[in-house]
Amino acid sequence: MNKKILITGGTGYIGSHTIVQLIENGYDVISIDNYINSSDKPLKSIEAITKKSIPNYVVDLCERDAVDEVFQQHRDIVGVIHFAALKAVGESVEKPLLYYRNNITGLINLLELCRKYQIANFIFSSSCSVYGNVDSLPVTEDTPISQAESPYAHTKQIGEDIVRNALKGTGIHSILLRYFNPSGAHPSGLMGESPIVPAHNLVPVITELAAGIRTELTVFGTDYDTRDGSCIRDYIHVVDLANAHVKAMDFMMAGQQKQDTEVFNLGIGQGVSVLEAIAAFEEISNIKLNITLGPRREGDVIAVYADYSKAKQELGWVPQYSIQDIMKTAWAWQQKRVDNHPLT
Ligand code: WQD
């Protein structure tokens, strides 16, 4: 019997790509997703890629009793990966209580049910934004946590502490995965980032500009103390990220985890500036982008990129995709989206 994993947020960008990799590595998967920031389209893409139809329960994690019913129907769940959360930094500044209610209440309900049903393995989707602005680079898991730059980042800092404290001494192992900048699309071209609102992250903004469904791209600040004046980030391909979740689940399933909670950075250790990312896209697409050099964006950190050696040594995880691969796959997906799935 394959081991069954519950994915929350299974029709989201990272959740859907992780379901594909879990299936391809022998796991069975069920999903809970209320489509607040997605649709059922990724379920069709997952089926096209894996030939497996994944059940998705359209349930709000804030409705505890409804979530309990899913656990009652699936007493053979052996692991949970919790992706479902609101994640737009700017929106979290405008609507902080929406973010605290949705991201924290959903997590608390899920943890109560993991304890009730003794689900032995729990993975929490965290973010490099828990580090805030850092003094030294690359960032390791021991880099001090500093003031969160947004309510979204704060929900991730609080979420990590809730996971640690709620599961301590319960026999339930947990892993906190701190993502850097997830980007790119599935190499099949059948799945990718499918924002139901106009994108705000750099890579989809670039591809929307190239596809002509947006008319401008502003570089938010070129006067930073970096090699070319623009901000530096660690762009990690979504399939590399998905594979890291499989490695983390394998690690726990194999009984290799000694601590109650482990933390891993998931970035590729390459700092890439905004202008370098734009140049990488122009190189792979042979398209010259019409960009505007504008003022800084509130809340941006100047530079952040990962030291992923802990994930490499303990999980055996090694990223495979480059910034060029990110741009190639993102562009291929965007062109499909313009043809078949116009942004609404
Ligand atoms: C990257 C760089 C922008 C758009 C966010 C979340 C973080 C994580 C990853 C979940 C910045 C610049 C962007 C544009 C630009 N999410 N930019 N013009 O803010 O690094 O991180 O996604 O885990 O928590 O905060 O990503 O893609 O928005 O920005 O110049 O039109 O691109 O200023 O320097 P960010 P981003």
Side-chain angles (χ1 to χ4, degrees):
M1 270 295 277
N2 290 345
K3 296 182 174 72
K4 183 181 282 183
I5 306 296
L6 166 62
I7 300 281
T8 71
T11 66
Y13 175 42
I14 305 168
S16 56
H17 285 79
T18 300
I19 288 175
V20 168
Q21 299 313 111
L22 283 167
I23 291 168
E24 293 188 350
N25 283 274
Y27 287 95
D28 282 344
V29 178
I30 62 168
S31 168
I32 289 179
D33 196 308
N34 65 352
Y35 302 144
I36 191 173
N37 198 17
S38 62
S39 71
D40 67 349
K41 287 198 184 92
L43 297 172
K44 300 181 176 71
S45 302
I46 290 167
E47 186 163 1
I49 296 168
T50 65
K51 312 300 179 231
K52 286 210 171 172
S53 164
I54 298 299
N56 177 61
Y57 295 86
V58 186
V59 167
D60 182 341
L61 290 180
C62 293
E63 302 300 329
R64 190 183 183 286
D65 293 345
V67 184
D68 193 314
E69 278 175 37
V70 177
F71 279 88
Q72 284 175 34
Q73 289 174 44
H74 295 275
R75 302 300 300 269
D76 53 349
I77 293 170
V78 296
V80 171
I81 307 182
H82 178 41
F83 291 104
L86 293 172
K87 63 145 189 146
V89 171
E91 184 184 49
S92 79
V93 173
E94 289 158 30
K95 303 174 185 169
L97 290 177
L98 170 68
Y99 272 65
Y100 287 118
R101 175 186 296 283
N102 184 75
N103 293 3
I104 303 299
T105 307
L107 172 63
I108 290 170
N109 288 341
L110 197 59
L111 290 170
E112 284 179 337
L113 293 167
C114 285
R115 288 179 56 128
K116 175 178 175 182
Y117 293 98
Q118 273 304 303
I119 309 296
N121 307 289
F122 187 87
I123 294 177
F124 178 65
S125 164
S126 188
S127 166
C128 62
S129 53
V130 302
Y131 294 110
N133 257 309
V134 296
D135 296 333
S136 67
L137 289 167
V139 170
T140 72
E141 288 80 2
D142 299 324
T143 297
I145 303 294
S146 58
Q147 176 77 26
E149 295 285 334
S150 67
Y152 158 77
H154 194 208
T155 66
K156 291 300 183 183
Q157 288 180 341
I158 297 169
E160 290 193 358
D161 291 342
I162 291 174
V163 170
R164 283 182 195 282
N165 295 328
L167 300 183
K168 192 176 293 177
T170 62
I172 299 175
H173 283 122
S174 56
I175 289 184
L176 313 175
L177 296 178
R178 293 176 179 163
Y179 311 156
F180 283 67
N181 283 55
S183 35
H186 195 269
S188 67
L190 296 174
M191 191 161 72
E193 199 161 1
S194 311
I196 54 174
V197 292
H200 71 277
N201 289 126
L202 179 64
V203 174
V205 166
I206 287 173
T207 59
E208 286 175 0
L209 176 68
I213 52 177
R214 99 179 20 239
T215 55
E216 62 144 17
L217 184 164
T218 300
V219 175
F220 296 138
T222 51
D223 59 347
Y224 287 101
D225 181 16
T226 62
R227 51 183 177 267
D228 63 14
S230 63
C231 289
I232 291 176
R233 295 289 184 275
D234 184 332
Y235 297 95
I236 173 172
H237 195 282
V238 66
V239 172
D240 275 333
L241 192 57
N243 282 328
H245 289 76
V246 178
K247 292 281 190 185
M249 194 55 79
D250 289 347
F251 177 74
M252 290 197 283
M253 292 289 170
Q256 293 173 285
Q257 183 155 332
K258 303 291 176 262
Q259 309 285 336
D260 281 339
T261 302
E262 285 285 4
V263 184
F264 295 98
N265 281 339
L266 295 180
I268 68 171
Q270 301 286 324
V272 171
S273 78
V274 176
L275 294 173
E276 289 164 349
I278 290 168
F281 177 83
E282 293 180 332
E283 177 199 343
I284 62 96
S285 63
N286 209 15
I287 294 173
K288 182 78 182 116
L289 294 173
N290 170 23
I291 63 172
T292 307
L293 304 183
R296 299 181 175 191
R297 177 174 73 175
E298 180 90 19
D300 271 337
V301 298
I302 300 169
V304 65
Y305 51 92
D307 172 340
Y308 72 89
S309 49
K310 184 181 176 191
K312 182 175 180 182
Q313 282 150 17
E314 297 193 25
L315 303 181
W317 176 74
V318 181
Q320 304 297 314
Y321 294 88
S322 66
I323 186 69
Q324 287 76 20
D325 297 322
I326 285 171
M327 294 302 181
K328 274 181 203 152
T329 54
W331 180 223
W333 169 245
Q334 179 68 63
Q335 288 170 294
K336 271 186 179 277
R337 288 202 64 185
V338 171
D339 301 343
N340 307 328
H341 312 285
L343 279 180
T344 48

